[in-house]
């Protein structure tokens, strides 16, 4: 089952569960995978930035993917961003052989100029093979690379194997509108647009034409609901649910502590056994943990899933 | 009246009102100033980044400051960030002579290393004169300069005229806690900490020890209320009000369109006559404007001030 | 006399001479101007980065330009780069009124994407007026903005008032070849290409098609000779002279101390009275000064102009 | 044989030889290794930036190191910079087991603040193990990380296994002087300082206190001679030899084409069979190749080793 440009719904970004001593917690991978299925997601992305991918050795990375594939019957996308094409190709080969649906590629943060970005994706597509569907990760806040709509269109046009945009530019609403306008005009081949950036703008992104979310907020079940409500045209209901979660979404979106927040809540929800981050990641301070508890308590008044 | 380290409450970041043709709209400066006073602010900061300062000629800048000073009886802080110390000194001299309370200085985005940052503020303090109180603007998201708590302490220690931190690091909660801990231990002279970043974390920043807000969100009256409620220990009430505004806060916090959002709402609230941005600023798209209207309509259910 | 795309030879980048106390040294401006004329330059650029432009107040900047214009009968180009278009327009207006031939504009270091760069130059050309000839300063090492040949062509095509490229990309030889190839093919309007980067590649840049140099190396008379020899086809002679200077060129090309080196040698050559840099510029250390003296002594064996 | 802080002379940065089809050319590794020994180097660094390290898979990297170790009886340092500590540890373990003398670590280009840099090296030293000697690579031009002398001292002090600085800051002469002054004062433990940046300042770096060179200029035999002459106090002779090579050094120092120049000359000198760069590296243009030939022909008049 390969990833296609028809992908919709919520592709959850999976964290990597660790034991308190830093070893990979395989039984939590299973538990978390089941939790995501129950949440209603339509796919999963492993080894993204917030999957702590750079902290994994190659064999560990492949092991995680195989573990997820052994249990999850929906498409699995694997982050394969790497400083060189050799490592990218090696990981892609191993995970596609194991049954992954496609890969996600972020631009290296040294890229400048439109040509350099377009060339990078041509070379990457060539390195991984034209038969491997790939996702562009467009996250300038983290990668310091600005990709204009015109460059996205160019990448899509030059690489038939590009099927999805993980859209997390900020601000990014007009970008979605522009890409969808080009698709309507026939100026660009249609692709799947799933949005990230911890869902901070998911409410309006859906209205601008996104196909869903590709992020790892600790309530993926809420993301599923907002995407569904929005597609059903229940605008107010979508916003009501979204707004109830926004204080926590915002808190979790912080770079650095954000991942610790996410793992802490997933642990409290029973999806993983420990909220450990592999070094050099730092745990939440006591003060931050108390703030998250307070946010959960407030959220519980609006969403029973937050009653923990 | 000079700015001191006792500053508290809300120092609103003032936009610069323009006529539709780009000329400065002086009567809107007056109207806006009155609007801010009525909102309960304790001070005002003009010519910040979101005051479109770099688009102003020197004489225009001085003119704006004088206009505000002629009407506003509370402290006026002026942004004097400049690529060189000559322009910074010239503007500082003119606005302090006219009655400003102090100036705000952002680090140039080429600074790297702790020593370079500390040296820059020593040189800036020397350039403007030791008798001019100044504010450090700590906004890495925009300026790409990371200032650790230790470097802030060093700037405060090395420069007696440094009286305030405009805190808008992200994530930034632990930074406030660290600075306040040092103040309690006597390891650092107390300063005023007002927070920016469009108030996105004002709720918890107050609880971490901030003295108030120094930002320009289109409902400064709400900022005043949240600061007050938080100081009174009315935690839930503070969060309730804050959360009602968070969807719009988030929308306005976007770099670029955010300022257009702010001016649009201030125009709808009657504080300024036109939401024009001086070139090269772009107006809101029709779609974005409709989204803001929708957010205002939703907000009006919780806060009557949004019934426009 | 306006700057045109026929500009050739050496447009020397002038430093700004200061008295030891930091005041502008006007009689040294005169002396230096005469020195440059005697060196055989065909034009002069004032208030560039290495003219310490950001350290000058507006009135000082205009004063320097007028002083040079009062004595120099060749084209005077003025650096007008500024964080906003208002200051850029104000300085441009004043110096063009005083008789400048054109202005030079560097991109702000926050620009990313081809579109943003092209848009910036359209807006700048609009701000200064379509009748003011301008020079693109392409110096990614200092400004962190990468401008591809295609973007230069776009700027040239979109702005008839763009007449010159100050080429100091690194590496940059293929860029010159590409632009000249487009000109030959009719794919781009011909412009003047003068090269900077302290002339570190002037030898080959001339052979690739440059029209001359636009830099401030402390022996502009040598630059004049190398440009002439190269144009006359005396390749070996051009390289022999260039190579003799290369150890010092390289030493002076260092960012930071480089300008102190340049001023020190110009002082020793009698072109200016003092090698003072305005604060926060630092003087050469004793060790660095001795190294420059050693380089000059070695150079004197090949070029009698270095016998000081 | 472990790397120590007594390291001196020339540690040549080895390129990775490829067959024209991109496969690793093992017999050229042997030939090149012998060439370096004959050149008089005292050590070798493999898998640096200019060894095209990011283009290699893990197994290839280990294979290259083993091949070199099988033939080279002098210390072998291995570049192990990686986006995460897991990959760094894995490569370090494998190459130290195979007999490497130590490893070289560059800072990731996202690091800001002194604390973050110092912390990174503590974590890296912890990840690779306290018994593995390591080299700090200080190359802001490529990595965008500025490391002040005080931060280097801090890294040296906090990590007993730090034994060498690959110094390639630019400008960098005063940095060497500062570090050596601290060593003399007892304020810092002595370390080996070998300089890089393609030897562009090797002449003066030796006089400032460097122990030698750690770079891959295509005439390592010249580097050996300059280091020796400088240590013998033969200043003029050292500069005469250095200056003869400077036009080519400068040409090879260009980022991007520089590595192609290096490989081309090493091929012409018989050290490797092909000047192929692995994708996405580009070969020299015909024009650039002719320029290098011209530089070699000119150099041959001064240095017989350039008669090819």
């Amino acid at each position: 089952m390969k990833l296609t440009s028809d992908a919709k719904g919520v592709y959850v970004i999976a964290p990597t569960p660790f034991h308190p001593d830093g070893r990979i917690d395989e039984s939590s991978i299973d538990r978390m995978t089941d939790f995501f299925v129950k949440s209603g997601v339509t796919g999963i992305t492993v080894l993204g930035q917030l999957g702590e991918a750079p902290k994994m050795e190659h064999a560990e990375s492949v092991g995680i993917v195989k573990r997820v594939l052994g249990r999850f019957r929906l498409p699995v996308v694997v982050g394969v961003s790497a400083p060189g094409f050799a490592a990218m190709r090696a990981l892609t080969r191993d995970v596609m052989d194991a049954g992954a649906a496609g890969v996600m590629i972020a631009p290296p943060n040294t890229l400048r100029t439109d040509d350099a970005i377009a060339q990078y994706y041509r070379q990457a597509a060539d390195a991984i093979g034209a038969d491997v569907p790939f996702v562009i990760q467009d996250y300038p806040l983290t990668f310091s690379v600005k990709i204009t709509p015109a460059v996205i269109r160019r990448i899509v046009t030059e690489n038939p194997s590009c099927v999805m945009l993980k859209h997390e530019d900020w601000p990014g609403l007009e970008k979605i509108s522009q890409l969808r306008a080009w698709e309507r005009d026939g100026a660009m081949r249609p692709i799947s647009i799933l949005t990230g950036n911890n869902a901070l703008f998911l409410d309006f992104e859906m209205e601008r034409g996104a196909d869903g979310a590709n992020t790892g907020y600790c309530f993926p079940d809420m993301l599923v609901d907002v995407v569904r409500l929005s597609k059903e045209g229940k605008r107010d209901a979508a916003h009501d649910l979204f707004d109830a979660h926004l204080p926590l979404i915002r808190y979790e979106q912080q770079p650095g502590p954000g991942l610790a927040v996410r793992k802490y809540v997933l642990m409290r929800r029973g999806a993983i056994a420990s909220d450990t981050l592999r070094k050099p990641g730092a745990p939440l301070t006591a003060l931050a943990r108390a703030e998250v508890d307070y946010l959960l308590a407030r959220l519980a008044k609006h969403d029973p899933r937050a009653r923990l």
Side-chain angles (χ1 to χ4, degrees), chain A residues 31-268:
Chain A
R31 218 198 309 177
M32 177 184 74
T33 304
D34 295 347
F35 172 84
F36 287 148
V37 171
K38 219 177 119 195
S39 297
V41 305
T42 43
I44 192 170
T45 299
V46 295
L47 299 177
Q49 286 290 311
L50 293 191
E52 300 176 68
K55 302 176 188 170
M56 246 62 82
E57 295 193 25
H58 178 88
E60 290 180 318
S61 298
V62 176
I64 291 165
V65 174
K66 287 186 173 166
R67 188 89 191 186
V68 171
L69 281 164
R71 201 163 183 106
F72 192 80
R73 298 287 150 246
L74 297 163
V76 176
V77 176
V78 182
V80 295
S81 304
F85 292 128
M88 183 188 292
R89 179 175 42 228
L91 183 56
T92 299
R93 189 185 51 217
D94 287 352
V95 301
M96 293 304 291
D97 285 353
V103 299
M104 180 167 70
I105 300 171
N109 66 4
T110 49
L111 288 185
R112 294 287 174 273
T113 85
D114 291 3
D115 288 345
I117 298 166
Q119 177 181 287
Y120 182 81
Y121 277 98
R122 281 199 309 276
Q123 291 169 338
D126 185 53
I128 61 175
D131 57 325
V132 177
F134 74 87
V135 180
I136 304 169
Q137 185 173 12
D138 179 18
Y139 197 13
L141 206 60
T142 288
F143 301 121
S144 305
V145 178
K146 295 285 270 183
I147 313 183
T148 62
V151 172
I152 291 170
R153 178 171 58 173
R154 189 168 154 193
I155 297 169
V156 170
T157 303
E158 293 178 350
N159 303 283
S161 53
C162 176
V163 297
M164 188 192 285
L165 174 68
K166 181 179 201 300
H167 168 279
E168 34 196 353
D169 198 353
W170 178 70
L173 295 175
E174 303 301 338
K175 188 180 245 181
I176 298 175
S177 293
Q178 175 66 79
L179 294 172
R180 289 311 191 206
W182 282 337
E183 291 180 2
R184 280 194 306 275
D185 297 352
M188 180 176 135
R189 169 169 66 81
I191 55 167
S192 170
I193 300 179
L194 302 185
T195 67
N197 200 17
N198 210 42
L200 195 65
F201 285 86
L202 181 61
D203 47 351
F204 290 112
E205 285 163 346
M206 288 306 299
E207 300 173 8
R208 293 290 186 126
D211 294 304
N214 187 195
T215 190
Y217 175 57
C218 54
F219 284 84
D221 27 6
M222 181 281 284
L223 302 178
V224 168
D225 290 345
V226 167
V227 167
R228 182 180 44 77
L229 289 167
S230 188
K231 284 190 176 165
E232 292 172 359
K234 296 175 177 161
R235 189 182 200 190
D236 290 346
H239 280 272
D240 286 345
L241 177 57
F242 179 85
D243 287 358
H245 280 264
L246 188 53
L248 181 56
I249 287 175
R250 161 213 55 166
Y251 200 96
E252 191 188 296
Q253 191 234 3
Q254 298 175 85
L259 178 59
V261 171
R262 179 178 296 176
K263 284 189 152 182
Y264 172 67
V265 178
L266 287 174
M267 181 182 69
R268 287 205 53 196

